[in-house]
Amino acid sequence: MLGILDRTSRNEGRSGGQYYEYGFAVDLELVATVVSDFEELALPRRVSELVNSLD
C-alpha cells in the first residue's frame, strides 16, 4: 500500500508518548472506489458516510 497513506510521527513527551497519525495520500473517493471492488472488504461506517456526502 505504498503511496496510499501518509504516516506522521508524533511525540507528546513523557505523558503523551509517541505515536503515528495516518492520513490518505490520495483522494478519498478514489480509495473508496477501489476498496468497494473487493467483496470481502468493507469501508468503515464513517468513511462510507463521508464518501456519500461528497456525491
Side-chain angles (χ1 to χ4, degrees), residues 6-23:
D6 285 332
R7 181 176 81 171
T8 304
S9 177
R10 299 287 185 201
N11 185 347
E12 301 293 336
R14 286 178 171 248
S15 62
Q18 295 179 334
Y19 59 95
Y20 293 109
E21 290 181 343
Y22 294 89

Side-chain angles (χ1 to χ4, degrees), residues 4 6-7 11 13-14 16-17 19 22-23 29-30 32-34 37-38 41 43 49 51-52 54:
I4 294 175
D6 285 332
R7 181 176 81 171
N11 185 347
R14 286 178 171 248
Y19 59 95
Y22 294 89
E29 192 170 344
L30 176 62
T33 301
V34 171
D37 290 342
F38 299 105
L41 295 178
L43 291 173
E49 291 170 356
V51 169
N52 290 334
L54 297 174

Side-chain angles (χ1 to χ4, degrees), residues 39-52:
E39 293 179 6
E40 64 274 2
L41 295 178
L43 291 173
R45 182 182 43 99
R46 289 179 52 203
V47 174
S48 295
E49 291 170 356
L50 178 60
V51 169
N52 290 334

